[in-house]
Amino acid sequence: MNLFTFRGGVHPPENKLQTENLATEVFSASKMLYVPMLQHIGAPLEPTVKIGEKVLKGQKIGDSEAFVSSPVHSPVSGTVKKIEVMPFPLSGKVTTVVIENDEQEEWAELTKLENWEAASNEEILAMIREKGIVGIGGACFPTHIKLNPPKDVKIDTLLLNGAECEPYLNSDNRLMLEEPHKIIEGIKIIMKVLGVEKAHIGIEDNKPEAIASMKKACEGTKIEVAMLKTQYPQGGEKQLIKAVLDRDVPSGGLPSAVGVVVQNTGTAAAIYEGLLEGTPIIEKIVTVSGLAVGKPMNLKVRIGTMFNEILDYANTNRDQIEKLVMGGPMMGMAQPIEQVPVVKGTSGLLALTKDETNPYKPKSCIVCGKCIKACPMNLLPNMYAKLARFKRWEEMGEFHLMDCIECGSCSYICPANRPLTEAIKIGKAKLRTLKK
Ligand code: SF4
Ligand code: SF4
C-alpha cells in the first residue's frame, strides 16, 4: 500500500510499545496546583483572582486584553494561596497562581454552545477563546486566531494532525482510541468555522488501532483518514501538508498560503469539550515514560500538577535520570528541575537514562551530507553550524534559516554528533534580535 510521506526526515527508535496499549489513567488532583499565567504563544496573562479568594473548578483565573492571548482556568475548587513568580517548564519564570484544592470538585457555572450549527462564526470563536483552547499538540498558538484567517485568504482543506511522530508519546494515540467521537465532533465545528467541505486526519502507520478507530468514527462524514509512513517529523505542519495533499508551503509562508489549516486532534477534542460540555482546558493526557520510570503510563492530569508528583506516582528512579524532558525526545524541552507544573502543551514527561540519551561528544564534520539529506525543509544544517561559529548570522538568514522547524533530525543523524540544532536555534535568536 502506498503511504503518504514527505522528503527527508529520520526514523529514531519509536519506544511507543511501553505505553501504547495502556488505557489512560486518571491522576487524582493534587493538594496544591500551580497554574502559570503563560501557557500559549503570545502575551502573558494577568491573574483575575486575588490571594485568599475562593475559586471554583473551571473558573477563569487569568486573562489578557492582548490580541494574541488565551485565558486559563482553575483546575480544582479551592482557595488561592499565593500569586508569585515561579519556574515553569517553558524556560525561565512566570507569574503563577497557586491554588489549594478543597477536594470538593465544585464546578463554576459552565456556559455551552450546544446548538453550534446555528451559531455564528463570531460566537463559536469567542467561545473557543473563552474556554482557553490553544494548539495542544505543543505549539500552543491560540486556536480562535488560527481559525480566523484574513478574509482574503481562501481555505479549502482542514488537516488534522494525528501523526504523533515523536518517539515515546502516546497521548494523541490514546485519545484517538478512547474518545474518537470528541475529535470528530470538534472537526465538524472547525469545518463550519472555516467553511470547508473536506477534512483529512493524518495518522502514522505505527498506530493501526487508532487508524481503525478513527476510520470507524469518520463513517458517514466528509472526514477521511490518511495513513502516513512512520517517519519523523511527519507531524510538522509543512510535512503533513506535503504528505497528504502534495502541496508545498512557500518559504516563509503559512499553511494558509496553500489553502490549508492544520490542527491537532487533541485540539479538536478540546473544542468539542469546550462548546458541548462547557469545560475549559483544565486537564491534559500526558505520556510518562523513559527507562527511569518504573511504571510507564498515560495519565490524565490537571493543569498545574507538579512534575515531581507525577514522577513519584510512576515509580521513577531518580538516580537513573540522565535527562528529564517535557514532550518528546526530539523537540521536547529539557527540564533542569522537577518542581515545575503541567501546562496545556505538556504531552509527555520522559525520564531518560544515559542509555537513552546521546552523550554530547562532538567531533569534526566529515562532510558526509547526511544532515542535508535528512532535513525535511531542504536546508543546509552543516553550513549553518559553520556560519554560527563565525557569528555570521545575516548570512545564515540569507540561506533561509528561519524556515528551520527545529525538528532536530540533522543533529540526530549526524555521525560526528555536531550540535547542529543548537547552533541553528542560536542563529535564529540572533537574527530575530537583529531584525528588531
Ligand atoms: S551530518 Fe554531521 S558530519 Fe555529516 S555533513 Fe552534516 S554536520 Fe557534517
Ligand atoms: S535544519 Fe532545522 S528543519 Fe532541517 S533537520 Fe535541522 S532542525 Fe530540522
Side-chain angles (χ1 to χ4, degrees):
M1 181 187 294
N2 272 344
L3 294 171
F4 297 99
T5 195
F6 61 96
R7 179 212 159 273
V10 290
H11 192 163
E14 293 175 24
N15 281 307
K16 302 256 188 193
L17 267 178
Q18 297 91 316
T19 55
E20 70 184 10
N21 295 316
L22 302 177
T24 306
E25 241 183 87
V26 177
F27 183 72
S28 305
S30 308
K31 190 67 196 159
M32 300 295 272
L33 282 302
Y34 302 79
V35 185
M37 293 292 108
L38 184 59
Q39 299 190 39
H40 58 272
I41 289 179
L45 309 177
E46 288 295 327
T48 53
V49 288
K50 293 191 173 60
I51 295 171
E53 191 173 328
K54 169 116 178 91
V55 289
L56 297 171
K57 186 175 169 182
Q59 178 185 329
K60 195 197 286 183
I61 57 170
D63 205 347
S64 166
E65 286 184 1
F67 177 67
V68 185
S69 65
S70 180
V72 293
H73 303 77
S74 179
V76 291
S77 57
T79 307
V80 177
K81 292 309 258 189
K82 284 193 267 185
I83 299 177
E84 56 186 50
V85 176
M86 298 177 75
F88 83 133
L90 306 176
S91 94
K93 294 183 176 184
V94 73
T95 301
T96 301
V97 174
V98 183
I99 299 165
E100 186 175 33
N101 183 2
D102 65 10
E103 292 169 25
Q104 298 302 305
E105 301 284 354
E106 204 182 329
W107 279 97
E109 194 183 333
L110 297 175
T111 49
K112 301 181 191 176
L113 201 58
E114 281 165 305
N115 192 9
W116 60 267
E117 278 156 315
S120 68
N121 278 0
E122 288 70 28
E123 285 172 302
I124 294 174
L125 292 170
M127 184 66 98
I128 288 174
R129 185 190 186 280
E130 201 52 27
K131 300 298 176 184
I133 297 168
V134 297
I136 56 176
C140 291
F141 189 76
T143 303
H144 65 283
I145 300 176
K146 196 168 181 183
L147 295 186
N148 192 16
K151 295 281 170 272
D152 56 338
V153 173
K154 176 80 189 119
I155 302 295
D156 59 42
T157 309
L158 170 66
L159 202 46
L160 273 295
N161 180 7
E164 200 162 48
C165 60
E166 273 272 12
Y168 291 90
L169 304 187
N170 273 305
S171 53
D172 288 347
N173 187 19
R174 290 311 310 178
L175 183 69
M176 289 189 281
L177 281 169
E178 293 168 14
E179 302 194 283
H181 67 286
K182 289 188 177 178
I183 298 172
I184 297 297
E185 294 308 308
I187 293 172
K188 287 181 189 166
I189 296 170
I190 302 173
M191 288 172 76
K192 171 186 159 53
V193 172
L194 295 174
V196 300
E197 291 291 318
K198 194 87 204 153
H200 306 263
I201 309 171
I203 309 173
E204 286 189 335
D205 67 336
N206 62 353
K207 302 173 194 69
E209 289 181 0
I211 290 172
S213 165
M214 292 312 301
K215 275 191 173 168
K216 191 159 186 302
C218 286
E219 280 170 13
T221 72
K222 290 181 177 170
I223 309 164
E224 276 178 14
V225 172
M227 188 150 68
L228 308 168
K229 186 178 168 190
T230 300
Q231 186 177 12
Y232 178 85
Q234 191 70 261
E237 286 195 338
K238 294 179 182 179
Q239 288 64 43
L240 204 56
I241 292 169
K242 180 68 184 169
V244 179
L245 303 169
D246 196 22
R247 297 184 194 174
D248 292 293
V249 180
S251 172
L254 295 170
S256 57
V258 292
V260 184
V261 165
V262 182
Q263 284 289 343
N264 179 267
T265 44
T267 308
I271 290 175
Y272 167 87
E273 288 173 352
L275 271 63
L276 284 109
E277 296 177 349
T279 49
I281 298 188
I282 56 164
E283 55 188 12
K284 189 79 210 287
I285 302 176
V286 179
T287 297
V288 189
S289 194
L291 286 176
V293 173
K295 201 172 156 234
M297 56 182 69
N298 298 300
L299 211 51
K300 190 177 266 189
V301 293
R302 305 287 169 98
I303 303 290
T305 307
M306 283 290 190
F307 286 177
N308 63 314
E309 292 185 54
I310 297 172
L311 293 171
D312 286 344
Y313 185 73
N315 292 341
T316 307
N317 184 338
R318 299 322 207 267
D319 295 337
Q320 292 180 350
I321 301 180
E322 177 73 11
K323 194 176 181 186
L324 183 66
V325 180
M326 183 182 83
M330 299 295 284
M331 288 183 87
M333 301 191 78
Q335 301 296 318
I337 56 170
E338 294 178 5
Q339 284 74 22
V340 287
V342 168
V343 290
K344 292 175 187 175
T346 309
S347 48
L349 185 58
L350 306 181
L352 304 173
T353 64
K354 215 169 195 165
D355 288 346
E356 296 172 288
T357 50
N358 186 5
Y360 177 58
K361 288 186 214 125
K363 301 186 195 100
S364 301
C365 171
I366 55 169
V367 205
C368 65
K370 285 188 177 175
C371 55
I372 299 169
K373 203 165 160 222
C375 179
M377 295 302 296
N378 295 324
L379 302 174
L380 301 166
N382 57 342
M383 192 188 65
Y384 295 142
K386 275 186 204 153
L387 291 172
R389 240 176 82 204
F390 299 105
K391 299 189 172 39
R392 288 157 65 176
W393 317 118
E394 273 155 342
E395 267 176 85
M396 289 171 83
E398 284 162 22
F399 288 98
H400 305 287
L401 177 75
M402 299 313 274
D403 280 345
C404 168
I405 58 169
E406 300 178 17
C407 68
S409 297
C410 49
S411 299
Y412 172 80
I413 206 75
C414 176
N417 274 343
R418 304 293 304 159
L420 302 172
T421 318
E422 199 180 307
I424 288 166
K425 283 183 184 171
I426 294 170
K428 286 174 81 173
K430 294 282 181 194
L431 265 185
R432 279 191 205 105
T433 321
L434 287 175
K435 277 181 191 160
K436 274 182 187 165

